[in-house]
C-alpha cells in the first residue's frame, strides 16, 4: 500500500518549524503514497468572474480530501516508541480518514474520536481505510467535544496524538498543496482561496506562498456559522465560540489552533465580513501584491456552490469542499487574473442533499415559510391558491399547527417561488387577502427547525 519507511524519516526531538523548506521536505515524504491532485481550469467560473479560475481537486485523493497529506506527513515521522504506543486523533471526519489510511499503510494501531454529527458516509469510510488497525469512537456533537475525549485518552494511555491542524507537521503536509499549485500552474497565481476550519491548511498554504510566491494574494474562507479564525483575528488571539452551526462539518470548529492563528497573523491583512461588505473590490480581493484576507460565507451560499459544481462540472464537493468556490460570488477580481480555489473534500453523504437543496433555495430567495390562519370553511384553501399564489409559485409544505380554534386553523405553509423577485408581489397579495399570513423570518429561532 505504501513504500517502506526509511530510517532517516524517523524523526525525534523538537518539532520542526513551519516553513517552505519543511513543506518541501514533507512533499518528498508523502510522494510515495500521495500523487499530485489535478489543477483544472473551470470555464463556467472563469466566465462568471472574468478571471482564469482553477480548482485544485483535493477531492480526488485516496481519502477524498487533502487531510491525508498532513496525517501521513506527521505519522511517518514518529519514532518507533511513538508508533508502538499507538496513535489517537479527533476529527470531524476527513482527518480521521487520513489517519486511518496512514495507520493501515504503516501497520500502526489508532483510536479515532469523531462527533456524533459526523455523517455516516465519513464514518463508514474511516472504517474502510483503517480496517483492523483503527477503533472509531463517536463522542459529543461537535469536533471540540471529540478533541477533549481524544486528549483525555492520550493522558490516560500514553498514546501519541495526531493533531488535525495544530501541529507544524500536519500543517506542512497540507502546505504541499501550494507547492503543487505553483509547479502545475507554471507561474504565480494572483489569488488562492483556501477554506478554513481549524486553520492548518491555511497555515501551510499561506506559509509556502509567503516564502515562494509573495505576490500571490490569499483569501481564507469560513462558514458564517463557525467563523473561529475570524473571531481570533478580531479578538487578537484564539477564542472559543459559544456555539456553531455544525452543517459545514469539515470546517465547524469552535476554536482555531494556536499555530494556525500565529501563522495567519504573520500573513498580515484583515477580516472582511460578508454582512458589512458583500462584494470585495479588485483591490480588496487580491489586495495588491500578497494581501491576506478572511471572508465569511453563508451556509446557503455554500449549498448553492455545491449544487452548481455537481450539476455543471460533475464535482461532488462536501460543504467544506465548496467553501472556496462559494466565495467567488462575494468577490471581484481583476479581469484576466489567475485564481485558484481549493476543493478541499468530496466526502458528502447523499442523504444530506435534501437539506443542501433546502438551504440553497432559501439563500437564493426562492423558498419562504408562512403561518397562515385559514377560516375553517369550504373553499378557504382554494381561494388561497387562486388569489394569493402566483402562476409559477408552488406549495412545498402544508401542515396544520393546531386545530383547537373553531373559527380558524393555523397552518405552516412552505412556498417555492418561480423567481426571487416574486416575493414582493406575493406579500402584497397576502396583505390584500382576507386571510391572516405571517412570514417566518429566516433569523428567527423557530426557523431553525425548518432548515
Amino acid at each position: 500500500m505504501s513504500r517502506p519507511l526509511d530510517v532517516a524519516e524517523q524523526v525525534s526531538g523538537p518539532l520542526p518549524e513551519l516553513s517552505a523548506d519543511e513543506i518541501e521536505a514533507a512533499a518528498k515524504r508523502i510522494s510515495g503514497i500521495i500523487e499530485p491532485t489535478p489543477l483544472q481550469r473551470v470555464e463556467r467560473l472563469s466566465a462568471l468572474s472574468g478571471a482564469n479560475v482553477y480548482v485544485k481537486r483535493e477531492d480526488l485523493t485516496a481519502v477524498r480530501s487533502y487531510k491525508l497529506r498532513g496525517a501521513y506527513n506527521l505519522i511517518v515521522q514518529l519514532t518507533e516508541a511513538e508508533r508502538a504506543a499507538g496513535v489517537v486523533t479527533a476529527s470531524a471526519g476527513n482527518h480521521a480518514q487520513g489517519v486511518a489510511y496512514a495507520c493501515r499503510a504503516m501497520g500502526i494501531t489508532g483510536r479515532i474520536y469523531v462527533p456524533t454529527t459526523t455523517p455516516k458516509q465519513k464514518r463508514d469510510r474511516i472504517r474502510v481505510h483503517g480496517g483492523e488497525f483503527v477503533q472509531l469512537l463517536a463522542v459529543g456533537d461537535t469536533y471540540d467535544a471529540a478533541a477533549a475525549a481524544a486528549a483525555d485518552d492520550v493522558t490516560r494511555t500514553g498514546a501519541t496524538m495526531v493533531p488535525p491542524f495544530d501541529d507544524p507537521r500536519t500543517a506542512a503536509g497540507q502546505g504541499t498543496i501550494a507547492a503543487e499549485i505553483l509547479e502545475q500552474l507554471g507561474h504565480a497565481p494572483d489569488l488562492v482561496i483556501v477554506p478554513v476550519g481549524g486553520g492548518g491548511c491555511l497555515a501551510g498554504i499561506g506559509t509556502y506562498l509567503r516564502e515562494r510566491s509573495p505576490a500571490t494574494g490569499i483569501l481564507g474562507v469560513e462558514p458564517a456559522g463557525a467563523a473561529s479564525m475570524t473571531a481570533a483575528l478580531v479578538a487578537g488571539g484564539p477564542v472559543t465560540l459559544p456555539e456553531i452551526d455544525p452543517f459545514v462539518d469539515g470546517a465547524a470548529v469552535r476554536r482555531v489552533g494556536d499555530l494556525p492563528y500565529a501563522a495567519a497573523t504573520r500573513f498580515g491583512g484583515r477580516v472582511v465580513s460578508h454582512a458589512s461588505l458583500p462584494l470585495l473590490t479588485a483591490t480588496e480581493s487580491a489586495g495588491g501584491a500578497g494581501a491576506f484576507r478572511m471572508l465569511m460565507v453563508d451556509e446557503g451560499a455554500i449549498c448553492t456552490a455545491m449544487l452548481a459544481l455537481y450539476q455543471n462540472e460533475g464535482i461532488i464537493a462536501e460543504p467544506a469542499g465548496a467553501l472556496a468556490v462559494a466565495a467567488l460570488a462575494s468577490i471581484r477580481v481583476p479581469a484576466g487574473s489567475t485564481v485558484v480555489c481549493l476543493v478541499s473534500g468530496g466526502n458528502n453523504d447523499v442523504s444530506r442533499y435534501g437539506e443542501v437543496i433546502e438551504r440553497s433555495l432559501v439563500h437564493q430567495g426562492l423558498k419562504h415559510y408562512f403561518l397562515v390562519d385559514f377560516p375553517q370553511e369550504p373553499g378557504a384553501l382554494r381561494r388561497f391558491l387562486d388569489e394569493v399564489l402566483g402562476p409559477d409559485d408552488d406549495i412545498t409544505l402544508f401542515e396544520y399547527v393546531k386545530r383547537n380554534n373553531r373559527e380558524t386553523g393555523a397552518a405552516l405553509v412552505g412556498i417555492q417561488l418561480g423567481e426571487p423577485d416574486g416575493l414582493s408581489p406575493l406579500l402584497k397579495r397576502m396583505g390584500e387577502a382576507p386571510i391572516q399570513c405571517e412570514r417566518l423570518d429566516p433569523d428567527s429561532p423557530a426557523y431553525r427547525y425548518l432548515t
Side-chain angles (χ1 to χ4, degrees), residues 69-340:
R69 296 173 182 269
Y72 194 86
N73 183 56
L74 190 155
I75 294 174
V76 79
Q77 296 183 76
L78 297 180
T79 64
E80 290 287 357
E82 288 170 330
R83 291 200 296 273
V87 300
V88 167
T89 196
S91 168
N94 284 345
H95 174 68
Q97 293 185 62
V99 170
Y101 190 100
C103 283
R104 188 175 181 183
M106 290 181 260
I108 299 171
T109 59
R111 288 183 297 282
I112 296 173
Y113 290 83
V114 299
T116 56
T117 52
T118 296
K120 182 178 182 298
Q121 183 270 349
K122 289 187 177 182
R123 282 182 278 170
D124 290 344
R125 298 308 300 170
I126 292 166
R127 295 187 181 97
V128 168
H129 291 307
E132 62 184 5
F133 291 94
V134 302
Q135 179 184 4
L136 181 63
L137 303 105
V139 177
D141 59 0
T142 65
Y143 159 77
D144 302 86
D152 180 66
D153 185 318
V154 169
T155 300
R156 289 184 292 101
T157 67
T160 305
M161 179 66 81
V162 182
F165 48 79
D166 205 8
D167 189 290
R169 296 164 295 183
T170 305
Q174 324 302 29
T176 60
I177 297 169
E180 288 182 15
I181 289 172
L182 294 184
E183 182 176 353
Q184 292 169 320
L185 201 56
H187 61 86
D190 295 293
L191 180 67
V192 174
I193 307 180
V194 184
V196 180
C201 189
L202 176 67
I205 289 177
T207 295
Y208 194 83
L209 292 176
R210 276 291 174 265
E211 294 187 38
R212 297 291 189 262
S213 183
T216 297
I218 304 164
L219 180 64
V221 187
E222 294 180 297
S228 54
M229 180 62 82
T230 296
L233 292 172
V234 170
V239 295
T240 301
L241 299 179
E243 61 178 335
I244 58 175
D245 183 342
F247 175 74
V248 187
D249 54 289
V253 176
R254 286 181 183 269
R255 180 187 174 93
V256 295
D258 293 329
L259 179 145
Y261 169 75
T265 58
R266 290 194 296 271
F267 303 157
R270 67 181 180 86
V271 171
V272 179
S273 168
H274 75 311
S276 63
L277 188 60
L279 287 177
L280 305 183
T281 65
T283 302
E284 288 291 341
S285 296
F292 166 60
R293 300 287 185 263
M294 283 296 305
L295 180 71
M296 293 182 289
V297 176
D298 179 80
E299 281 75 6
I302 297 167
C303 292
T304 300
M306 286 176 65
L307 295 171
L309 283 170
Y310 177 72
Q311 293 172 334
N312 293 283
E313 286 76 42
I315 297 175
I316 300 174
E318 63 185 274
L323 258 173
V325 172
L328 281 175
S330 297
I331 66 175
R332 292 193 185 111
V333 292
S337 59
T338 299
V339 178
V340 177

